[in-house]
Amino acid sequence: MDDFGVFAVFGVHGPAQRLLSADGSSRVAVAVPPSVRQVVLFSSGPWGERICVNAELNDADRMPITIGKLTPYNKCLSWEQWEEETWTGSVILNVTLERGSLEKSDWSEPELILAVTEYTPKFCPSQDTVAPLTARELNGKRKREHASEGDGDENKLTKRGEEENVCPNGGTVEKTTPVRKGRGQIKGVQKLFSSGGDTTKTKGTANVAREAQGIVGRTPPQSAARTKSRQAKTPTQTTPLVSPSGRWGQSLCAIDAQTAILIGGQGARMQFCKDPMWKLCTEDKSWVAAETLAEGPTPEARIGHTAIYDPDSRRIFVFGGSKNKKWFNDVHILDTQSWKWTMVEAQGKVPPLAYHSCSMFRGELFVLGGVFPRPNPEPDGCSDSLYIFDPNLSIWYQPIVTGDMPSPRSGHSACVMQERKIYVFGGWDTPVCYNDMYMLDLGLMEFSAVKTTGKAPSPRSWHGSAVLSDTKFLVHGGYNGNNALSDTFIFDIDTNSWTEVTLPQLAVPRAGHSIIAMEMADNPRFSAEDEDVDKNTGPGSRTLLVFGGGDNEGNFYSDLTTVAVEELLAAF
C-alpha cells in the first residue's frame, strides 16, 4: 500500500492537514486566512517514482509571494510572514505533485479547499487526517470572509505590484536586496531592474533571430520593442522548463570541461527562481534541471551568493546571499562525485554577507567585502573585511592584512592571478560607484592600490569578470547607478594597462550576470549550419561563457553566450 502524502500545518497551533495523497489529485489550492502567519509543508511516506512537489504562496492577485519545492531529499518547507514583505493578508497555497510522467489532466484547475487552523477539524473516519471541506461549507466560508474583509486589502495588493526595484544600502522600505525600492526613498539611491507597472517584461522570453554568434537559449531582442513575459503574467509553470528562466544574481561555476553548475538567482517581479539549480552540458549547450538530482539539504533560494569549485576535492562551496529579509552566512557544499549536499556547521565568526567576492586559494575560501545587515535585517553598509574559510577544519578566521586596503564595497569582482595575487576591481557603496583596482599579495597578505594606464572601465558594480590567461582578465558589463553597461575591457597585470575590446557577442547591456572561462572539448555533432555555437571553439579550446543578468528596464535574460578566448585576445 502506498502511504505517500503531502501535509500542511497552518499556524503555530494548527493540526496537520492532508493536501495530496497517493491516489488523489496532483494539484490543490488552499485558502489561508489572514490570521495565519506560519505555514509548514511536508511529505510523509515513500516517494517511489515521484519527482518533486512544487509549492507556491500567492497573494490575492495570484502573484507569487514565495516559492519552494519538496524532493525525496528535502521533505519539509516552512514560511513565516515576517520574512515576506508582500505577505500582508490572506494568501493561497498552491501545491503540485510531479510524478515520473505527467498527464494532461494534471494541469486542470486545482481544487480549492480551506486551511484548517484549529484543533476542532472534521476527521475522515478511515484516517487521522483532516478532510477537505465540502463545497457548501467552502462557499459559506467565502461569503462570510468577503463580507467582513471589504475592499481595503485589495487596493493594498494592487499598490504592492507597483513598487520599483533599487540597489542596496538605500531606501526606507524595501532594502534587503539590490533590486528593491520603497516609497519615500532617500536621495541618491538609483533603481535597478524596475518591476513596477509596465516594466514587468523580460527580454529573456523572446526567442528572436540571433545576429551575433555564440548565443544559446532565450536571447534579448536587438530592437527597442519589448515583449511581455508570459512567466511574469502566469506564476504557475504549466510545462517543464528545458532551460533556466531569466534571472540575475545567480552563480555559475565549471566543474570539468563538459559541465557547469548554475545556482540561485532572482527574476521578474522580484520573484526567486522556481528552477534554482541547473546543470549545463557544454558539449551541446543543453541544460538539465538539477535540483532534484542531488541528495541532502539543498541551499535555500537566494541571490547575491557565491559558488566556487575546488578541483582538488571536486566540491562546490556556496556561501552567503540574501532572500528578502533573510541574510545568510551559511556554507553549503556539493560533492560533485557523490552528488550530495551537506551544510557545514562552521566554527568562528563571519557576518551574513551578500554581493561579496569569493576566491579559492590553496583549498581555502577568501571572502572580501559585501553588503551586511546592521541591524538585522536592514542593510546598513558594506564590508571592507577579509574572511577566510578553511574547509578542512570547518572554521572561519580573519587574517592579519597590511597595506592599502580597499574601501568598503559590494558588487565588485576578484580574480586570482598566477596563484599568488587577487585583483579586486570596482563595486560600490551607495551612492558611490568605483572603478579602482587593488591587489592582494597572497604571500605577504598585503594590499596595494594598482596604478593603471590606458582607458579604464567607468565606475560600476555587478559586472562580470573572468581570467583569460596567466596575465590577463576580463571585465564586462555591470551597473553604474543609472544604467546597465555592455562594454568589455581586458586588464594586463604585466603592464597594469586596460584595453577596451568590442565584440558583437558581448553587445547587450547587462548586470548581475555570470561569466566564466573554461576549457571546453569540441563536439563533432555540431554542423556548420548551427548558428548557436561559436565556430572558433576548437578541441580543448578555452571559452568564455556568459549567462543571464538583467538591464535597468525590468528585463531578465536566460541566454547563454560563448566566445572563444582566442578571439578575445586577438581583439586585445
Side-chain angles (χ1 to χ4, degrees):
M1 179 178 179
D2 193 347
D3 294 329
F4 178 82
V6 176
F7 300 79
V9 175
F10 300 96
V12 175
H13 303 293
Q17 179 176 355
R18 182 187 286 269
L19 304 183
L20 299 177
S21 59
D23 55 355
S25 172
S26 296
R27 303 184 69 195
V28 68
V30 187
V32 183
S35 59
V36 171
R37 298 184 179 182
Q38 301 87 13
V39 175
V40 177
L41 185 72
F42 63 95
S43 68
S44 178
W47 276 71
E49 296 183 356
R50 300 172 181 91
I51 299 175
C52 63
V53 174
N54 294 309
E56 193 175 88
L57 274 180
N58 293 339
D59 61 20
D61 294 330
R62 294 190 175 185
M63 292 309 304
I65 297 173
T66 186
I67 59 176
K69 181 174 292 188
L70 299 179
T71 72
Y73 311 109
N74 183 27
K75 300 178 182 178
C76 184
L77 293 170
S78 65
W79 300 285
E80 294 191 68
Q81 190 180 47
W82 69 269
E83 298 176 347
E84 313 295 341
E85 294 181 348
T86 55
W87 183 353
T88 59
S90 58
V91 296
I92 301 293
L93 172 64
N94 289 291
V95 181
T96 304
L97 171 65
E98 289 189 17
R99 295 186 172 91
S101 59
L102 293 176
E103 299 178 359
K104 186 175 181 181
S105 59
D106 289 333
W107 298 109
S108 59
E109 187 69 20
E111 177 187 8
L112 180 65
I113 63 176
L114 292 180
V116 175
T117 60
E118 301 175 357
Y119 279 105
T120 56
K122 182 170 81 175
F123 288 93
C124 295
S126 60
Q127 57 187 15
D128 295 332
T129 54
V130 181
L133 299 182
T134 64
R136 179 177 299 178
E137 293 169 325
L138 178 61
N139 290 335
K141 184 72 177 290
R142 282 180 180 171
K143 289 178 181 179
R144 290 193 297 272
E145 287 181 348
H146 287 316
S148 60
E149 287 178 2
D151 299 330
D153 292 340
E154 197 170 325
N155 294 332
K156 293 179 182 178
L157 290 168
T158 303
K159 292 179 180 179
R160 282 202 309 269
E162 299 173 356
E163 294 180 354
E164 297 178 350
N165 300 331
V166 295
C167 307
N169 313 327
T172 58
V173 180
E174 297 182 352
K175 301 183 288 187
T176 57
T177 67
V179 294
R180 291 187 178 270
K181 173 182 178 182
R183 298 184 182 91
Q185 176 184 322
I186 62 173
K187 185 177 180 181
V189 179
Q190 304 294 339
K191 68 176 182 177
L192 178 60
F193 308 154
S194 172
S195 64
D198 292 333
T199 61
T200 53
K201 316 162 190 172
T202 173
K203 292 182 179 180
T205 55
N207 190 11
V208 298
R210 292 104 168 153
E211 296 181 3
Q213 290 181 336
I215 298 180
V216 178
R218 299 171 186 162
T219 60
Q222 302 300 316
S223 65
R226 305 297 185 194
T227 303
K228 290 189 176 180
S229 168
R230 290 182 178 269
Q231 182 181 2
K233 296 174 68 175
T234 309
T236 303
Q237 198 72 36
T238 58
T239 57
L241 293 173
V242 295
S243 63
S245 58
R247 67 191 66 197
W248 86 293
Q250 70 286 335
S251 62
L252 181 68
C253 61
I255 62 175
D256 56 45
Q258 293 83 31
T259 313
I261 304 299
L262 174 69
I263 299 174
Q266 187 182 54
R269 292 182 180 266
M270 299 180 292
Q271 297 302 314
F272 288 87
C273 298
K274 302 178 185 180
D275 51 331
M277 185 174 175
W278 289 82
K279 179 190 291 187
L280 171 66
C281 303
T282 60
E283 289 183 334
D284 57 1
K285 308 300 186 296
S286 64
W287 293 94
V288 177
E291 184 183 12
T292 59
L293 300 181
E295 299 181 13
T298 59
E300 188 173 348
R302 61 190 65 197
I303 187 176
H305 57 285
T306 51
I308 192 164
Y309 178 68
D310 178 18
D312 294 331
S313 64
R314 301 183 66 177
R315 296 183 298 175
I316 296 175
F317 294 84
V318 177
F319 169 71
S322 67
K323 178 188 178 184
N324 297 332
K325 288 187 177 181
K326 272 187 168 182
W327 292 75
F328 302 102
N329 64 347
D330 50 359
V331 178
H332 293 262
I333 300 177
L334 176 62
D335 189 317
T336 61
Q337 294 178 286
S338 63
W339 206 245
K340 183 176 181 180
W341 282 104
T342 56
M343 182 174 175
V344 179
E345 295 183 3
Q347 298 178 343
K349 291 184 179 180
V350 64
L353 293 170
Y355 318 106
H356 51 277
S357 65
C358 183
S359 307
M360 177 70 69
F361 177 67
R362 293 182 179 176
E364 293 186 319
L365 278 63
F366 284 62
V367 173
L368 175 67
V371 180
F372 62 95
R374 184 187 59 189
N376 189 49
E378 302 297 337
D380 192 34
C382 290
S383 169
D384 61 353
S385 299
L386 176 65
Y387 297 89
I388 298 179
F389 178 71
D390 184 342
N392 294 324
L393 301 176
S394 296
I395 188 171
W396 286 98
Y397 67 94
Q398 282 190 269
I400 298 175
V401 182
T402 61
D404 189 3
M405 292 281 295
S407 58
R409 65 190 63 206
S410 64
H412 53 284
S413 60
C415 291
V416 179
M417 303 297 294
Q418 300 177 350
E419 285 298 315
R420 58 189 179 92
K421 299 176 181 179
I422 296 179
Y423 283 82
V424 179
F425 170 75
W428 86 336
D429 187 5
T430 303
V432 180
C433 257
Y434 299 105
N435 68 340
D436 51 2
M437 178 90 74
Y438 287 85
M439 186 270 291
L440 172 63
D441 187 309
L442 294 169
L444 302 174
M445 292 306 293
E446 180 181 13
F447 266 108
S448 60
V450 179
K451 296 181 179 180
T452 66
T453 60
K455 180 183 178 182
S458 59
R460 68 193 63 204
S461 63
W462 302 317
H463 49 277
S465 183
V467 177
L468 303 180
S469 68
D470 287 342
T471 61
K472 297 177 179 63
F473 65 86
L474 169 142
V475 169
H476 167 68
Y479 178 69
N480 64 7
N482 293 296
N483 304 303
L485 306 170
S486 63
D487 47 5
T488 304
F489 296 82
I490 295 178
F491 185 75
D492 189 325
I493 66 172
D494 283 345
T495 60
N496 286 343
S497 62
W498 286 105
T499 301
E500 183 174 10
V501 296
T502 302
L503 291 174
Q505 300 97 314
L506 303 177
V508 177
R510 66 180 81 208
H513 50 300
S514 298
I515 295 184
I516 59 174
M518 58 184 293
E519 303 290 339
M520 289 175 53
D522 186 34
N523 189 343
R525 287 180 294 171
F526 290 130
S527 66
E529 297 178 357
D530 195 333
E531 297 179 357
D532 291 338
V533 180
D534 193 338
K535 311 304 185 301
N536 293 319
T537 56
S541 62
R542 190 164 176 81
T543 304
L544 191 77
L545 279 72
V546 182
F547 171 80
D551 60 12
N552 193 35
E553 301 176 12
N555 306 299
F556 298 86
Y557 304 140
S558 63
D559 58 320
L560 175 68
T561 302
T562 62
V563 184
V565 170
E566 183 181 358
E567 183 179 355
L568 282 165
L569 296 178
F572 175 70

